[in-house]
């Protein structure tokens, strides 16, 4: 199927983009149900307070209010969520309800909700709910949280705000550091940010009390999380999750959304009416989840020739006011723990600290941008300390193409890749040497240009057992490997319908899966449709059936290939029987099966449909009726290290793309403002199914990572009030600030996947913060500036220059 | 994000608007383009019980050229100011400041009178009107009065308009022989000014400064004239070093704003930098 591919590898007309760009998408808010009510949430104005009481009597008595949920209702009528895999390391199990029941731990935390005839009435009624709080001191700094003398405890049950602490060691770091020629040290910091999807969280819940069926239409990225949350909360077993078009996810719609869906569902159960809730932007900014503020204390053991023999780092994660995602940013560093480098000895010490800020959640790459930042900043430091070129230090330490497949110290198996080739090509494309000359000349004229060159792997296809590496005492696995299904149906009229296990939130699932199915079946992608909305009543399940973890390329495409291949075999058997030929003699093109010889010996897919569904007399013997197949894909190369053993080695993800990034910036040293003049990526995304789709993923993720580095982010004051509740204050970059991203593809097809495909969704968001940091530092070399902390807002850059000035 | 309940009036005349305002003086807000007020109402930070929508009063939407000044109706939008040939030619500073207000949608809806009366310290136009010594016409039940731009602002979000008064017109003198520029520092292209500077400068043939007016916005709680900088520059040759030296005092005596966008120290520094840059841009 390699050389003669006709549709895979082509940019075909997008199936979903026309409706999205013309405003004709169908999102959750576009749906209405008869008698539908509208919900608003009761939220905490305090960062930290005990809930002394909630008086909702005035609201309950109003005839236009149909249901009220308070903390008491939540305790009485729902059960807490089971602790997830990121909370398994807690010293004490802490029951987590969908809303705050005893204390509020961050501004905007939901305590309950009300449902009214319309949103306006609901918002008016919200003002009549009287919540008595006993305010407690807010904890907004991790060091104060752990060591502060007068610190308050956010979870009394834990006895400390240091909710979790643990270590992982691969190889022998002590020996590596003892035998090192030099040790290079640095302290780094990454701030809190979000992916700010255009569509905030949304949900419509309805409950049929006769059949006990709960139906929710919502924009989650992971239907299973909603399904399990509703089962946990209500003990219901008949649950239907419908997911229409999603206006962007990037991780924001994986975790905390379950709280809101449970509370909206409770309103629907109590009122007996469908209830809709659409989150506001300021609610989203306050309480839908943030990325994790991370501090790193990094040390590298190096030889004088630039070889890095060991890396160890301490990481302090500010996880906010919840324990349910305690370790998510730490364990996600296992995915790219050794980045593109051959170092054998790595140790990581993690500290997860609860604070009175919004809980942390998955967010485009989760811990991976931080891990890449650790590597790429320390490699630059190694080069400075050894007075080598940073590029040479990278070349010196790369895993080489001939070592593939390559097993990393923590058990990841890199399927393929040419890291020296990617970096070399990036340097050529940007004409690195000429740029250095230009940089020197411009400095003479008072212009400060900087060049940042970094590289990062892009892991794809999640292994659900990864988190067990830090929780060896975990009794029940949170799942292992990846399972995801797809169904293909040849319709009676010869068209083809696909049903995917995971919802689409803007990555062109409909287009890409149609291309793959079209290639295998021998039919035009024009007659293939992928069903939107996703509907759990008909869609396949699976631990990897999730729009997250860079899963699509591996699990959804794997399932489509499996299902389409089985359907093709069945089509050939049916056609062979009707055409009186052998299946292996037949060819399929453009939806027509042709047998050798007479031009009359052919059968269209529409004719086959009639045979399969309407005419048993033409069925071959021993074949079941119909032309519909379901295939559940599992990754055939998931061993070794699918589940961590005593050595803690685990395949955190299964495929590994990579990208070399070059950022060329100009710093206005008077104001500190950074302008990106050029941004270039040489990427390995394996075999590309649709070039425009992959480029779109790269543009978006690069734009996000660049904006993160240059200043978008959340700011809390010392009282724990969030100062950035609008996109303007948050500092979201607009198109005017976003540079053109130049992309060249240099694919190394995966040895482990059916098409050689790799991931593309998170990719450019992983190395880009490091690229910008490196470029800004390079621009400010004459001032002796060292870039350690993100974000590089104009004021932060200006401060760096002021501090460095003699 | 839905405003609290309010009574809505769309008066057909200025007189009707004024009588509605007088009748509801404690609880009414005037709605013009809605670009500042409506977002605050949606967040329920503003909860007027009565909304008087003057958007239909076309008699307040005009640009009239007189002998030595231009009269601008309060409901003239930023887009109209930016595009007006008269404004560009006779009061270019107003066009220059209008061009960088918000984004296209804001400029199409937002009005000069609404923006000025809102008295947000980060508005762009106040820098231009204080630099130009504009005058603002307030109309109330007792007739009209004129307020000089420098006296228009009292503090953040508070102008010297009386509760029963409406801002109806802005009178901007035509400055001949002046060069002008407006520059702002903001995080994003369509972002609020973190510092905004309006400059009108007149130089002699030998480059000596005959007159200069510098309006500052987004630095203190209200827009102000940098009179100390102006005084230091009048009569001097306007080279970069001289300007930079003079700009050093631009925030002297000013309580510089602190917010999520900038600390006072950084904002004061930016104010100096942008005074220099804006004067040089005007001269260029």
């Amino acid at each position: 199927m390699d050389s003669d591919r006709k549709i895979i590898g082509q940019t075909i007309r997008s199936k979903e983009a026309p409706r999205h760009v013309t405003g004709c998408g169908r999102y959750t808010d576009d749906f209405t149900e008869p008698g539908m009510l509208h919900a608003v949430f009761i939220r905490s104005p305090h960062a930290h307070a005990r809930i002394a009481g909630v008086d909702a009597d005035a609201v309950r008595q109003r005839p236009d209010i149909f249901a009220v949920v308070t903390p008491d209702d939540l305790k009485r009528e729902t059960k807490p969520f089971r602790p997830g895999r990121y909370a398994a390391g807690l010293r004490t199990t802490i029951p987590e309800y969908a809303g705050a029941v005893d204390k509020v731990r961050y501004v905007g935390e939901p305590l309950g909700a009300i449902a009214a005839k319309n949103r306006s009435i609901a918002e008016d009624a919200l003002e009549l709910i009287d919540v008595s709080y006993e305010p407690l001191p807010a904890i907004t700094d991790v060091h104060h949280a752990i060591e502060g003398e007068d610190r308050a405890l956010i979870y009394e049950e834990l006895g400390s705000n240091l909710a979790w602490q643990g270590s992982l060691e691969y190889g022998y770091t002590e020996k590596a550091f003892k035998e090192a020629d030099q040790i290079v040290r640095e302290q780094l910091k990454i701030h809190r940010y979000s992916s700010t999807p255009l569509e905030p969280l949304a949900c419509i819940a309805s409950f049929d009390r006769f059949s006990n069926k709960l139906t929710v239409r919502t924009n989650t990225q992971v239907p299973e999380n909603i399904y399990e949350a509703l089962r946990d909360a209500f003990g219901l077993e008949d649950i239907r999750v419908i997911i229409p078009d999603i206006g962007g996810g990037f991780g924001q719609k994986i975790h905390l959304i379950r709280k809101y869906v449970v509370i909206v569902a409770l309103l629907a159960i109590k009122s007996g009416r469908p209830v809709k809730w659409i989150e506001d932007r300021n609610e989203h900014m306050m309480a839908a989840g943030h990325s994790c503020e991370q501090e790193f204390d990094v040390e590298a053991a190096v030889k004088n020739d630039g070889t890095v023999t060991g890396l160890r780092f301490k990481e302090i994660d500010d996880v906010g006011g919840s324990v349910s995602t305690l370790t998510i940013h730490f364990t996600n560093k296992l995915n790219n723990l050794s980045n593109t480098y051959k170092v054998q000895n790595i140790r990581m010490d993690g500290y997860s600290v609860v604070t009175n800020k919004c809980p942390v959640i998955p967010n485009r790459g989760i811990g991976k941008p931080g891990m890449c930042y650790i590597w790429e900043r320390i490699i630059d430091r190694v080069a400075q300390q050894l007075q080598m070129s940073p590029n040479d230090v990278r070349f010196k330490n790369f895993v080489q193409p001939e070592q593939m497949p390559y097993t990393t110290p923590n058990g990841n198996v890199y399927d393929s890749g040419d890291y020296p080739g990617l970096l070399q090509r990036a340097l050529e494309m940007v004409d690195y040497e000429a740029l250095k000359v230009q940089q020197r000349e411009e400095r003479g004229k008072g212009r400060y240009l900087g060049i940042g060159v970094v590289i990062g792997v892009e892991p794809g296809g999640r292994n659900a057992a990864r988190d067990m590496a830090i929780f060896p005492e975990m009794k029940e696995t949170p799942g292992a490997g990846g399972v995801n299904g797809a169904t293909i149906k040849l319709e009676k009229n010869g068209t083809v319908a696909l049903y995917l296990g995971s919802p689409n939130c803007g990555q062109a699932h409909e287009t890409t899966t149609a291309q793959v199915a079209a290639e295998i079946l021998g039919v035009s992608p024009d007659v293939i449709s992928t069903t939107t909305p996703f509907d759990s009543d008909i869609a396949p399940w699976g631990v990897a059936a999730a729009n997250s973890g860079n899963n699509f390329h591996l699990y959804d495409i794997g399932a489509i290939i499996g299902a389409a291949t089985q359907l093709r075999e069945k089509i050939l058997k049916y056609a062979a029987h009707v055409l009186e030929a052998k299946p292996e003699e037949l060819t399929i093109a453009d939806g027509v099966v042709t047998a050798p010889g007479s031009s009359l010996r052919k059968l269209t897919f529409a004719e086959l449909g009639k045979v399969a569904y309407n005419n048993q007399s033409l069925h071959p013997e021993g074949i079941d009726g119909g032309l519909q197949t379901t295939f559940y894909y599992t990754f055939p190369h998931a061993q070794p290290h699918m589940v961590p053993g005593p050595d803690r080695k685990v395949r955190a993800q299964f495929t590994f793309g990579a990208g070399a990034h070059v950022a060329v910036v100009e710093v206005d040293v008077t104001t500190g403002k950074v302008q990106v003049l050029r941004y270039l990526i040489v990427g390995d995304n394996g075999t590309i199914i649709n070039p425009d789709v992959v480029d779109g993923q790269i543009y978006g993720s690069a734009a996000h990572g660049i904006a993160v580095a240059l200043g978008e982010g959340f700011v809390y004051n010392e009282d724990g009030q969030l100062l950035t509740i609008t996109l303007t204050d948050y500092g979201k970059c607009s198109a005017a600030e976003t540079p053109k991203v130049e992309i060249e593809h240099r694919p190394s097809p995966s040895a482990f996947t059916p098409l050689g495909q790799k991931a593309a969704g998170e990719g450019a968001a992983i190395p880009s913060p490091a690229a910008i940091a490196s470029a800004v530092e390079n621009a400010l070399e004459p001032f002796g500036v060292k870039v350690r902390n993100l974000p590089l807002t104009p004021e932060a850059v200006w401060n760096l220059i002021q501090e460095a000035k003699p | 994000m839905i405003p609290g309940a309010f009574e809505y009036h769309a008066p057909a005349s200025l007189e009707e608007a004024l009588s509605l305002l007088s009748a509801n003086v404690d609880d009414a807000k005037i709605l013009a383009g809605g670009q500042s007020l409506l977002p605050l109402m949606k967040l329920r930070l503003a909860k007027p019980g009565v909304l008087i929508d003057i958007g239909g009063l076309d008699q307040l939407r005009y640009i009239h050229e007189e002998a030595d000044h231009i009269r601008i109706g309060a409901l003239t939008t930023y887009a109209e100011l930016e595009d007006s040939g008269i404004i560009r030619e006779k009061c270019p500073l107003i066009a220059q400041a209008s061009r960088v207000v918000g984004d296209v949608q804001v400029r199409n809806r937002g009005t000069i009178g609404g923006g000025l009366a809102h008295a947000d310290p980060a508005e762009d136009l106040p820098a231009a009107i204080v630099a130009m010594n504009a005058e603002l016409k307030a109309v109330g039940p007792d007739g009209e009065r004129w307020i000089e731009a420098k006296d228009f602002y009292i503090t953040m979000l508070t102008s010297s308009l009386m509760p029963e008064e409406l801002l109806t017109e802005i009178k901007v003198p035509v400055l001949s022989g002046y060069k002008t520029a407006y520059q702002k520092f903001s995080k994003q292209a369509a972002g609020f000014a973190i510092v905004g500077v309006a400059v009108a400068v007149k130089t002699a043939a030998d480059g000596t400064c005959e007159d200069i007016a510098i309006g500052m916005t987004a630095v203190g709680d209200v827009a102000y004239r940098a009179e100390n900088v102006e005084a230091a520059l009048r009569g001097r040759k306007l080279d970069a070093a001289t300007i930079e030296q003079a700009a050093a005092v631009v925030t002297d005596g000013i309580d510089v704003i602190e917010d999520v966008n900038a600390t006072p120290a950084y904002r004061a520094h930016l104010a100096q930098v942008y005074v220099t840059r804006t004067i040089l841009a005007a001269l260029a």
Side-chain angles (χ1 to χ4, degrees), chain B residues 89-144:
Chain B
E89 194 189 331
K90 305 287 182 181
C91 299
L93 191 50
I94 299 291
Q96 287 157 347
S98 298
R99 194 172 298 146
V100 293
V101 173
D103 53 28
V104 175
Q105 289 92 330
V106 169
R107 294 196 291 275
N108 280 337
R109 295 286 308 164
T111 66
I112 182 168
L116 292 174
H118 182 56
D120 187 314
E123 293 270 345
D124 295 289
L125 267 294
I129 67 148
V130 298
M132 301 285 290
N133 282 328
E135 288 178 80
L136 297 90
K137 182 158 89 175
V139 180
D142 304 329
E144 60 178 65

Side-chain angles (χ1 to χ4, degrees), chain A residues 37-43 59 65-70 108-129 203 260 263-264 267 275-280 283, chain B residues 1-2 42 44:
Chain A
L37 304 173
H38 297 262
V40 294
F41 276 83
I42 308 163
R43 293 181 183 274
V59 172
I65 301 296
F66 290 76
V68 180
V69 170
T70 63
E109 182 169 13
L111 295 86
I114 51 185
K117 201 170 62 183
N118 62 46
R119 179 74 182 240
S120 175
I121 292 170
E123 289 194 20
D124 288 346
L126 194 56
E127 296 178 358
L128 303 175
I129 292 197
C203 164
Y260 299 104
I263 294 175
V264 175
L267 288 172
V275 179
K276 175 188 271 189
W277 172 65
I278 306 295
E279 183 185 48
D280 283 339
E283 293 182 287
Chain B
M1 290 285 272
I2 294 185
K42 286 183 174 181
R44 299 198 174 206

Side-chain angles (χ1 to χ4, degrees), chain A residues 478-499:
Chain A
V483 181
N484 187 12
T487 294
I488 301 194
K489 180 165 73 159
L490 183 77
E491 304 283 14
K492 281 172 76 169
N493 63 359
T495 62
V496 179
L498 308 183
Y499 302 84

Side-chain angles (χ1 to χ4, degrees), chain A residues 49-357:
Chain A
R50 213 171 296 286
I51 303 167
V54 178
D55 181 358
D57 289 349
V59 172
R60 284 187 208 275
Q61 282 158 14
R62 282 177 56 146
D64 49 2
I65 301 296
F66 290 76
V68 180
V69 170
T70 63
D72 283 343
D73 297 303
L74 283 172
K75 276 193 280 192
R76 203 171 44 235
E77 295 176 44
T78 69
K79 290 186 186 65
F81 302 119
R82 282 172 294 165
R85 54 201 169 117
Y86 307 119
L90 277 174
R91 296 184 286 280
T92 315
T93 304
I94 296 179
E96 191 192 14
Y97 286 91
V101 294
D102 51 352
K103 280 174 81 176
V104 288
R105 295 179 174 88
Y106 57 96
V107 165
E109 182 169 13
L111 295 86
I114 51 185
K117 201 170 62 183
N118 62 46
R119 179 74 182 240
S120 175
I121 292 170
E123 289 194 20
D124 288 346
L126 194 56
E127 296 178 358
L128 303 175
I129 292 197
D130 184 14
V131 184
S132 319
Y133 295 99
E134 292 164 10
L136 296 162
I139 305 267
T140 57
D141 174 81
V142 286
H143 300 286
H144 178 248
I146 307 173
E147 296 140 17
E149 281 185 6
D150 57 341
R151 65 186 182 275
L153 287 179
I154 295 173
Y155 287 94
E156 281 83 359
E157 307 93 306
L158 292 175
S160 164
N161 293 321
L162 177 58
W164 175 82
Q165 171 180 358
S167 302
L168 283 171
E169 165 129 12
Y170 299 103
Y172 306 93
T173 46
E174 208 168 304
K175 184 163 179 285
F177 277 83
K178 204 175 284 172
E179 292 171 0
D181 292 335
Q182 302 197 32
I183 295 173
V184 179
R185 296 187 171 88
E186 188 53 288
Q187 288 181 312
L188 306 168
K189 212 188 259 188
I190 292 190
H191 62 302
R192 279 178 169 252
Y193 55 88
S194 159
S195 300
T196 57
L198 211 51
E199 182 201 27
L201 307 185
C203 164
I204 301 170
S206 53
F207 181 65
D208 179 346
R209 66 194 165 94
F210 301 104
S211 63
N212 270 344
K213 183 168 186 129
L214 182 58
T215 300
V216 295
R217 194 185 299 270
T218 182
N219 57 1
T220 184
Q221 294 172 243
V222 185
E224 189 180 34
N225 284 2
I226 299 300
Y227 188 84
E228 295 296 341
L230 292 168
R231 283 181 69 200
D232 283 358
F234 300 113
L236 291 169
E237 292 299 340
D238 195 356
I239 289 162
R240 182 178 180 196
V241 181
I242 302 171
I243 305 174
D245 277 338
I246 302 178
F250 320 104
Q252 291 288 133
K253 293 169 180 167
I254 294 175
H255 188 73
L256 289 176
I257 187 170
R258 66 180 182 167
K259 285 173 169 272
Y260 299 104
V261 174
V262 165
I263 294 175
V264 175
L266 183 53
L267 288 172
I269 291 168
K270 284 165 86 82
S271 67
R273 297 246 226 150
V275 179
K276 175 188 271 189
W277 172 65
I278 306 295
E279 183 185 48
D280 283 339
R281 176 64 57 194
N282 57 337
E283 293 182 287
H284 189 83
M285 302 301 265
M286 278 192 294
H290 296 172
S291 79
C292 184
E293 191 175 323
Q294 301 156 71
E295 289 185 22
F296 309 116
D297 214 329
V298 189
E299 289 179 307
V302 296
K303 295 290 185 187
N304 284 333
D305 68 354
T307 307
V308 179
T309 54
L311 179 84
R312 58 188 180 201
F313 61 93
K314 289 196 177 93
E315 168 173 348
I316 303 179
D317 288 350
D318 172 352
V319 303
S322 162
V323 288
S324 67
T325 47
L326 208 52
T327 53
I328 186 171
H329 284 77
F330 185 74
T331 52
N332 262 275
K333 292 192 172 63
L334 292 173
N335 305 32
N336 59 341
L337 186 64
S338 50
N339 200 19
T340 52
Y341 304 116
K342 63 189 179 191
V343 60
Q344 289 303 304
N345 308 296
I346 306 182
R347 181 185 170 90
M348 53 200 297
D349 294 288
Y351 302 83
S352 297
V353 182
V354 286
T355 60
N356 294 119
K357 299 181 194 166

Side-chain angles (χ1 to χ4, degrees), chain B residues 244-278:
Chain B
E244 210 170 303
Q245 202 185 359
V249 297
V250 67
T251 55
D252 283 6
I254 299 295
D255 194 4
V256 178
I257 301 173
E258 172 162 25
D259 65 15
V260 70
N261 294 311
T263 59
Y266 180 59
R267 193 173 236 123
H269 166 74
L270 285 177
Q272 295 177 26
V273 172
Y274 270 75
V275 164
T276 308
R277 288 187 179 180
T278 312

